[in-house]
């Protein structure tokens, strides 16, 4: 089995959230399985919520940015480990 | 025709603005960074008021269905044609079927994409600029969406020369710390002397509430001089009797978090405007991102007019070079 780590980056600057809303659970926990297109988190800027989606399938290894922190464009948000048989 | 495959975060059609209706409450909209906007049109041979795409933070993916000529100016959001990086501030040739896409933003906040002839949408009150809050102008009064089709207009003035490039000295660079020049007033007398000093002494952080309407800054509380509020003014010390808000004016509701009003903002109201960003620095304002910092610098009206002239002369020099 091969595994390759990729970093999930913030496409835009703004406030990073791991939850869809304050009352709800996080989209993903560390160690969760991720499919292409799954939402990893949100970035809020200009009164718009931009969904950060997985571009590859794998395991969400760890988050590098905490819930509700300001991020810059290009900042590393999480590590995704791809797995192929 | 241009096909919108991915719209980006907020991509709107903007031109020089909807000028002449401010007194009836209609803000001008139009390109936030007028300098970059103007240069993009010059590079493709358009007239000065041709409509462009204003791209914010995240670039769109567009497919061109016709041969044309384009130019990209403004902040550094690296553009790619068919996956290959291409230069900004240069006249580029496009073949039917070419796809334009972008890398992540490196510096600045907004890119202007000019297409020879401009974008053909109806003029509303003399302008093609999108004013999303009112839902007018541009394409159906909104930001672009996937599946939109843009028609190319006829705002050509000169035949563009593919490969024409703007000299480096005319290309602005953007960092994460900005100095923005302001003229003090109209209601700066409402601030305490100490708060007036603090306003110019600290780095203000741009919050996520920063868009075409205005930019909100966090820093520290500013205090207003105690007084009995006059008739017609709200009860909060940051209130005055209603007045027109200049574009670029800065108000501080309740003394917390100054807001700079920009192209799509309300045209008047009852908050004390403590300073106004000079017109030449509104271009730079449009290239500032959330999470960057701004230091305000006080200048006189004469200095503001001189700075405006510098920008005007630069555009004139560029125009002459491209006409050669």
């Amino acid at each position: 089995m091969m595994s390759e780590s990729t970093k999930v980056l913030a496409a835009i600057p703004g406030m990073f959230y791991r939850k869809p809303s304050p009352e709800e659970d996080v989209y993903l926990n560390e160690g969760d399985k991720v499919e292409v297109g799954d939402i990893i988190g949100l970035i809020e800027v200009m009164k718009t919520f931009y969904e950060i989606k997985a571009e590859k399938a794998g395991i969400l290894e760890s988050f590098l940015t905490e819930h509700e922190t300001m991020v810059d464009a290009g900042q590393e948000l999480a590590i995704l480990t791809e797995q192929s048989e | 025709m241009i096909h919108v495959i991915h719209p980006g975060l907020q991509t709107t059609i903007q031109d020089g603005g909807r000028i002449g209706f401010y007194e009836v409450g209609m803000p001008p909209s139009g390109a936030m960074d007028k300098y970059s906007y103007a240069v993009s049109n010059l590079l493709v041979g358009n007239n000065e008021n041709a409509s462009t795409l204003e791209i914010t933070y995240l670039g769109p993916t567009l497919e061109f269905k016709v041969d044309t000529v384009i130019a990209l100016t403004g902040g550094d959001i690296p553009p790619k044609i068919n996956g290959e990086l291409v230069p900004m501030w240069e006249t580029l040739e496009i073949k039917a079927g070419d796809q334009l896409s972008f890398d992540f933003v490196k510096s600045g906040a907004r890119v202007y994409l000019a297409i020879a002839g401009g974008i053909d949408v109806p003029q509303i009150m003399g302008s093609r600029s999108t004013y999303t809050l009112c839902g007018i102008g541009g394409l159906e009064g909104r930001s672009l969406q996937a599946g939109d089709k843009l028609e190319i207009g006829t705002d050509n003035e000169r035949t563009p020369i593919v490969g024409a490039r703007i000299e480096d000295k005319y290309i602005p660079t953007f960092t994460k710390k900005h100095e923005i020049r302001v003229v003090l007033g109209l209601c700066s007398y409402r601030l305490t002397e100490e708060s007036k000093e603090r306003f110019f002494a600290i780095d203000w952080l741009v919050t996520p509430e920063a868009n075409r309407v205005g930019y909100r800054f966090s820093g520290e509380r500013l205090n207003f001089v105690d007084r009995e509020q006059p008739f017609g003014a709200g009860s909060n010390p940051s209130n005055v009797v209603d007045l027109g808000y200049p574009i670029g004016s800065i108000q501080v509701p309740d003394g917390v978090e100054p807001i700079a009003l920009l192209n799509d903002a309300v045209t008047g109201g009852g908050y004390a405007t403590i300073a106004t960003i000079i017109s030449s620095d509104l271009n730079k304002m449009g290239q500032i991102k959330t999470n960057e910092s701004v230091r305000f610098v006080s200048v006189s009206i004469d200095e503001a007019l001189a700075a405006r002239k510098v920008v005007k002369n630069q555009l004139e020099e560029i125009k002459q070079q491209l006409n050669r």
Side-chain angles (χ1 to χ4, degrees):
Chain A
M1 200 166 96
M2 299 266 291
S3 71
E4 195 184 326
S5 289
T6 51
K7 290 193 167 115
V8 179
L9 305 179
I12 54 169
M15 188 66 80
F16 176 67
Y17 299 101
R18 284 181 53 191
K19 302 175 180 182
S21 72
E23 298 79 31
E24 288 175 84
D25 239 9
V26 292
Y27 285 109
L28 290 169
N29 287 300
E30 292 181 346
D32 281 357
K33 205 167 167 225
V34 176
E35 298 295 337
V36 174
D38 280 0
I39 299 171
I40 293 170
L42 299 174
I43 296 180
E44 181 193 10
V45 74
M46 302 192 301
K47 298 186 179 170
T48 308
F49 289 90
Y50 179 80
E51 294 172 344
I52 304 291
K53 291 179 181 170
E55 289 176 1
K56 288 170 179 163
I59 302 290
L60 197 291
E61 207 62 52
S62 62
F63 277 95
L64 303 173
T65 300
E66 280 179 45
H67 175 65
E68 226 169 301
T69 48
M70 286 289 292
V71 296
D72 284 326
Q75 190 167 321
E76 296 170 350
L77 301 176
I79 298 177
L80 192 70
T81 306
E82 280 180 81
Q83 293 187 325
S84 50
E85 302 291 318
Chain B
M1 199 188 67
I2 301 161
H3 193 156
V4 179
I5 295 170
H6 186 283
L9 184 69
Q10 191 190 68
T11 304
T12 56
I13 295 170
Q14 299 294 343
D15 62 14
R18 193 164 283 112
I19 309 299
F21 304 97
Y22 206 71
E23 79 277 15
V24 294
M26 177 63 77
S29 301
M32 292 268 276
D33 173 357
K34 287 275 181 348
Y35 176 78
S36 298
Y37 157 79
V39 175
S40 73
N41 270 331
L42 288 174
L43 277 167
V44 298
N46 283 350
N47 69 40
E48 281 172 14
N49 226 359
S51 56
T52 61
L53 286 184
E54 181 180 88
I55 293 159
T56 310
Y57 292 155
L58 186 74
T61 304
L62 306 173
E63 187 170 296
F64 291 82
K65 299 292 187 189
V66 289
D67 294 356
T68 185
V69 161
I70 65 167
L72 296 135
T73 61
D76 190 7
I77 307 180
K80 295 184 286 191
I81 295 178
N82 303 327
E84 297 280 328
L85 283 169
V86 292
M88 297 184 66
W89 304 91
E90 188 173 313
T91 309
L92 305 171
E93 192 175 19
I94 289 283
K95 293 283 175 204
D98 281 353
Q99 270 202 14
L100 176 69
S101 61
F102 295 83
D103 272 352
F104 285 177
V105 57
K106 277 191 171 156
S107 66
R110 290 179 172 83
V111 161
Y112 293 87
L113 165 60
I115 299 144
I119 299 156
D120 185 22
V121 289
Q123 286 203 353
I124 308 290
M125 297 166 87
S127 167
R128 296 189 170 88
S129 287
T130 315
Y131 178 32
T132 55
L133 289 184
C134 244
I136 63 163
L139 192 69
E140 298 168 7
R142 56 167 172 79
S143 301
L144 297 191
Q145 293 172 359
D148 282 344
K149 290 170 173 60
L150 306 174
E151 297 292 340
I152 294 175
T154 54
D155 280 332
N156 320 68
E157 202 171 68
R158 290 170 295 107
T159 307
I161 298 159
V162 172
R165 190 176 160 72
I166 300 300
E167 279 182 46
D168 284 351
K169 65 172 176 178
Y170 297 122
I171 300 178
T173 51
F174 306 105
T175 57
K176 292 182 175 207
K177 278 174 158 310
H178 308 268
E179 279 195 355
I180 293 290
R181 291 169 289 182
V182 301
V183 173
L184 203 60
L186 301 165
C187 310
S188 47
Y189 63 90
R190 290 293 301 123
L191 283 181
T192 63
E193 284 305 315
E194 196 199 347
S195 282
K196 238 182 274 179
E197 274 171 36
R198 294 300 294 163
F199 179 69
F200 293 110
I202 71 165
D203 287 325
W204 294 93
L205 188 70
V206 180
T207 69
E209 281 189 79
N211 56 24
R212 294 183 44 84
V213 176
Y215 273 49
R216 187 188 280 264
F217 302 89
S218 64
E220 59 185 60
R221 177 175 263 284
L222 297 178
N223 296 304
F224 293 89
V225 178
D226 284 335
R227 68 167 179 180
E228 190 184 324
Q229 291 290 92
F231 177 76
S235 56
N236 191 281
S238 63
N239 290 137
V240 290
V241 178
D242 281 19
L243 77 163
Y245 291 148
I247 292 165
S249 65
I250 298 169
Q251 52 181 245
V252 200
D254 195 32
V256 185
E257 301 199 331
I259 301 168
L261 298 182
L262 300 171
N263 303 37
D264 288 0
V266 60
T267 58
Y271 284 113
T273 58
I274 60 173
T276 302
I277 298 166
I278 69 174
S279 64
S280 59
D281 284 10
L282 287 174
N283 298 327
K284 199 197 281 183
M285 218 35 240
Q287 294 294 352
I288 297 177
K289 281 194 290 293
T290 286
N291 217 14
E292 295 180 350
S293 73
V294 169
R295 182 72 69 102
F296 294 106
V297 178
S298 180
V299 297
S300 67
I301 283 275
D302 287 340
E303 289 170 293
L305 292 174
R308 176 186 290 193
K309 203 161 180 200
V310 168
V311 176
K312 207 176 157 199
N313 289 346
Q314 278 190 0
L315 285 173
E316 203 50 48
E317 285 167 34
I318 290 171
K319 201 185 277 183
Q320 279 172 16
Q321 285 182 6
L322 291 174
N323 276 336
R324 215 178 281 157

